[in-house]
Amino acid sequence: MLNNWITALLRPLCIATTTFCFGIGCAGSFYYKPRIQKAQAALVQYKMQVALAQAQLAEAQAKVVIQTEVQYRDRIKIVKEKGNTIIKEVPIYVNQADTDHFGVNVGFVRHYNAAFSNEPTGSPAEFNRKPAGVSLAEIAEINAFNANICWQWREQALGLRVFYRQLQQTQQSIAAKN
């Protein structure tokens, strides 16, 4: 009998609780569902704006790349051509008579090579005073070649600096628009 009495009390309580939870769930669904859909629509809109901004940025960066590359490739080509002209003119300015009159010794060659290898020359020795068998014309050609390469690197470095600045400006202008 006690068991029936508890069951009789709990049954309506369970039904009421279930009904209440179902009602809250339905009301919550009606209340939150439009808000969730609105937030999802806003998220989709935001993702589309981000994708559009990225596409604009990529297009602007591509223009910067092309412009900078064309400009500095031509400058490097001009520098290289000028250097090759200077190298070809070495025999005009340094001839065999100059080489015979002004000798190059082993010490000079050791020092020159050490400077380009970035290693110490080592201790001086008596054989540094002997003739190296390298003509002044060869040294002039090598020096002109090295100077030409340095000028090409300079132009490339300047081009990369301009390229980086233009990319930054492009990025900032695209970000300011959005």
Side-chain angles (χ1 to χ4, degrees), residues 64-134:
V64 168
V65 168
I66 291 168
Q67 175 190 3
T68 307
E69 186 174 337
V70 166
Q71 179 183 4
Y72 282 90
R73 185 185 305 158
D74 291 343
R75 287 176 68 173
I76 290 171
K77 182 179 176 185
I78 290 168
V79 166
K80 186 174 184 177
E81 289 171 358
K82 284 181 179 180
N84 288 339
T85 302
I86 292 170
I87 292 170
K88 289 177 186 174
E89 291 176 346
V90 166
I92 296 170
Y93 297 101
V94 181
N95 57 30
Q96 187 61 39
D98 296 328
T99 300
D100 293 341
H101 188 268
F102 302 102
V104 176
N105 63 13
V106 173
F108 175 85
V109 173
R110 286 182 64 206
H111 188 268
Y112 187 88
N113 290 340
F116 276 95
S117 67
N118 201 27
E119 293 292 327
T121 306
S123 59
E126 191 59 38
F127 67 89
N128 284 341
R129 302 289 168 244
K130 295 184 179 179
V134 178

Side-chain angles (χ1 to χ4, degrees), residues 12-164:
L13 187 61
C14 285
I15 291 172
T17 304
T18 303
T19 305
F20 178 75
C21 288
F22 181 71
I24 292 294
C26 288
S29 174
F30 289 121
Y31 180 75
Y32 287 111
K33 189 172 183 178
R35 291 179 182 211
I36 291 172
Q37 289 175 342
K38 186 176 178 182
Q40 287 174 338
L43 179 62
V44 168
Q45 178 76 17
Y46 175 75
K47 285 182 179 180
M48 287 180 8
Q49 287 176 342
V50 168
L52 180 63
Q54 286 177 339
Q56 289 173 344
L57 180 62
E59 184 179 332
Q61 286 177 338
K63 288 179 184 177
V64 168
V65 168
I66 291 168
Q67 175 190 3
T68 307
E69 186 174 337
V70 166
Q71 179 183 4
Y72 282 90
R73 185 185 305 158
D74 291 343
R75 287 176 68 173
I76 290 171
K77 182 179 176 185
I78 290 168
V79 166
K80 186 174 184 177
E81 289 171 358
K82 284 181 179 180
N84 288 339
T85 302
I86 292 170
I87 292 170
K88 289 177 186 174
E89 291 176 346
V90 166
I92 296 170
Y93 297 101
V94 181
N95 57 30
Q96 187 61 39
D98 296 328
T99 300
D100 293 341
H101 188 268
F102 302 102
V104 176
N105 63 13
V106 173
F108 175 85
V109 173
R110 286 182 64 206
H111 188 268
Y112 187 88
N113 290 340
F116 276 95
S117 67
N118 201 27
E119 293 292 327
T121 306
S123 59
E126 191 59 38
F127 67 89
N128 284 341
R129 302 289 168 244
K130 295 184 179 179
V134 178
S135 72
L136 286 177
E138 287 179 80
I139 292 173
E141 286 177 11
I142 291 170
N143 196 36
F145 176 79
N146 290 335
N148 186 19
I149 294 297
C150 289
W151 278 100
Q152 290 176 40
W153 287 345
R154 178 185 179 273
E155 289 299 323
Q156 186 176 7
L158 291 173
L160 289 172
R161 187 175 6 172
V162 168
F163 172 70
Y164 179 71

